[in-house]
Amino acid sequence: MTGEQIYWASTTAPVNIAVIKYWGKRDTSLNLPTNSSLSVTLAQSDLRTHTTASCSPTFSAPDTLILNSTPQEISSARPTACLTALRSLRAALEDADPKLPKLSTFPLRLVSVNNFPTAAGLASSAAGFAALVRAVADLYALPQTATELSLIARQGSGSACRSLLGGYVAWDKGSRADGKDSIARLVAPRSHWPEMRALILVVSADKKGISSTTGMQATVKTSALFQTRTNHVVPKEMAEIEQAIHARDFETFGRITMRESNSFHATCLDTEPPIFYLNDVSRAAIRAVEELNTRAGKIVAAYTFDAGPNAVIYHLEEDEDLVAGSFKFLLAGKQGWDGNRGKAIVAMEGALSVDDKVAQILKDGVSRVILTGIGEGPISVQEHLIDEQGKPNPVDT
């Protein structure tokens, strides 16, 4: 979109929550992982980053980025790598067609807004870099596919490559030194298994004490468990969980999801010094899920934790009243139950019988809940966050 020599493009991009975790890099500059990973893309109606990319010959250098109304550093290696790669692709189009406007030479104005806490274990950087790459690619009218763009998004934030696709998405670690085969791959679209749901227990919206980048490299250097996990555990579980997704087998999916989360956090604890992403509230959530499954006589809920204390509890739509309803009874009054989906869930008294100490830890420690489900990849939108003068113009996201 243009006006008075200003060009715009806007997109929203989703959060993804991995069930096979990415942890460790074989090349830090290219963000090449030591193991493959797999995630579920979550619905953008609940969790998303909205980004507008704009450029103009009237803008002054350098490029700028504003996130949630706060100016951000954009000259660091990661955003620079993404923008350099995108500009190069646009410049190739301009060289091939001299009639095209020289957008690659214009300074960029980037404005992003998250509708969820940033850097709180909710994959904010994944959604953020996916939205940035997709918005700039749309601004530059690039012909590359989402998988091809995942090579660029990966350089900003490794897991961002998975947020460029919807549904169930793998990130293949690849073996090439240049990273050309380390890309996002669609395992199954949302339509294949649309009944997947997620209940997120937000334990903390504070920024992590140890960033994922710092934590994973410490693990690579010091954990004795790391090589076993990377070379033996993850390859086996990747194959098994892909089969479970194709078969829509929740019990296998759930068992692997929980086992993999525990494996990931075991390597964090095995790091020197040990990394504690989980806390007492996280462990209480694990106990509650185990109790739910025991009472159901099968796996109806599966917990997973990224590099943070927030619990993501996967379940199927058919079990939403049992799973979410049990937590609604226990956590009545918490923010998040007041939406349409939350109101429709019946609080299930007696379905979750945890001891008083566990119950109290959850009541005191969970600040809010988020009810969501599987979703699509980035979506182009017309709600621009930059006005015709190139200034931030926030809209309701």
Side-chain angles (χ1 to χ4, degrees):
M1 179 179 179
T2 66
E4 298 298 317
Q5 290 188 301
I6 295 179
Y7 302 80
W8 295 275
S10 295
T11 191
T12 61
V15 164
N16 73 77
I17 299 294
V19 291
I20 304 293
K21 308 296 186 185
Y22 147 56
W23 198 250
K25 302 178 185 182
R26 60 184 174 91
D27 185 305
T28 56
S29 62
L30 294 176
N31 265 358
L32 301 181
T34 54
N35 64 270
S36 297
S37 57
L38 191 147
S39 62
V40 178
T41 304
L42 300 182
Q44 294 187 55
S45 56
D46 308 299
L47 297 163
R48 68 180 177 274
T49 296
H50 180 177
T51 297
T52 295
S54 179
C55 66
S56 172
T58 65
F59 293 166
S60 59
D63 301 333
T64 62
L65 169 64
I66 295 175
L67 171 62
N68 294 333
S69 301
T70 302
Q72 304 291 311
E73 174 59 55
I74 200 173
S75 61
S76 57
R78 291 185 177 190
T80 296
C82 292
L83 296 180
T84 298
L86 292 164
R87 277 194 164 103
S88 178
L89 292 173
R90 173 64 189 189
L93 295 179
E94 294 165 358
D95 290 342
D97 184 356
K99 295 180 181 178
L100 291 175
K102 305 299 183 183
L103 303 189
S104 65
T105 66
F106 301 161
L108 286 163
R109 296 291 178 266
L110 304 164
V111 176
S112 290
V113 177
N114 295 336
N115 69 344
F116 58 93
T118 302
L122 288 175
S124 59
S125 63
F129 274 102
L132 182 149
V133 168
R134 183 73 265 180
V136 176
D138 289 348
L139 174 69
Y140 288 167
L142 299 181
Q144 277 70 25
T145 66
T147 294
E148 290 169 332
L149 290 174
S150 75
L151 291 166
I152 298 174
R154 184 203 70 217
Q155 295 180 61
S157 170
S159 54
C161 70
R162 298 192 306 254
S163 278
L164 281 170
L165 296 166
Y168 304 86
V169 184
W171 172 17
D172 294 325
K173 69 173 184 177
S175 59
R176 291 177 51 161
D178 63 7
K180 296 295 185 183
D181 57 350
S182 182
I183 57 175
R185 170 174 54 87
L186 182 66
V187 174
R190 176 190 178 279
S191 59
H192 170 74
W193 202 7
E195 296 85 5
M196 188 66 71
R197 298 289 181 268
L199 168 65
I200 302 175
L201 307 182
V202 180
V203 175
S204 171
D206 295 333
K207 196 166 185 177
K208 290 177 285 193
I210 300 175
S211 72
S212 297
T213 298
T214 300
M216 69 175 66
Q217 291 312 101
T219 298
V220 170
K221 292 178 181 178
T222 64
S223 171
L225 294 178
F226 174 75
Q227 292 299 329
T228 298
R229 168 180 158 76
T230 299
N231 296 328
H232 302 288
V233 175
V234 170
K236 179 175 181 289
E237 294 192 335
M238 278 289 292
E240 290 176 351
I241 204 164
E242 287 198 41
Q243 291 175 0
I245 290 168
H246 290 142
R248 295 188 286 272
D249 175 0
F250 186 81
E251 282 211 59
T252 301
F253 173 91
R255 184 175 295 108
I256 295 170
T257 294
M258 292 186 285
R259 190 169 65 213
E260 163 61 15
S261 180
N262 294 336
S263 168
F264 159 54
H265 286 281
T267 63
C268 291
L269 289 173
D270 190 50
T271 302
E272 297 179 11
I275 303 170
F276 301 96
Y277 285 124
L278 304 187
N279 59 21
D280 286 346
V281 187
S282 310
R283 289 182 280 274
I286 290 173
R287 295 300 180 199
V289 169
E290 295 288 358
E291 173 64 20
L292 263 177
N293 290 334
T294 298
R295 282 184 161 248
K298 62 179 183 178
I299 295 175
V300 295
Y303 60 79
T304 188
F305 297 83
D306 279 349
N310 301 321
V312 178
I313 303 171
Y314 286 115
H315 57 280
L316 294 180
E317 182 181 28
E318 64 191 58
D319 296 316
E320 189 159 41
D321 280 342
L322 172 61
V323 177
S326 297
F327 281 97
K328 185 176 184 179
F329 178 78
L330 184 64
L331 302 173
K334 298 292 184 182
Q335 183 182 354
W337 299 115
D338 49 356
N340 291 335
R341 181 177 289 172
K343 289 178 180 177
I345 293 171
V346 177
M348 298 287 284
E349 183 176 2
L352 182 56
S353 180
V354 294
D355 64 51
D356 291 343
K357 181 179 180 180
V358 170
Q360 196 60 51
I361 289 172
L362 287 169
K363 290 176 183 177
D364 292 342
V366 175
S367 61
R368 63 172 294 182
V369 300
I370 299 172
L371 295 146
T372 187
I374 189 166
E376 303 289 356
I379 300 170
S380 294
V381 297
Q382 294 304 311
E383 293 82 14
H384 299 307
L385 303 177
I386 297 173
D387 65 19
E388 294 184 357
Q389 285 73 48
K391 298 185 181 300
N393 182 35
V395 299
D396 184 9
T397 62

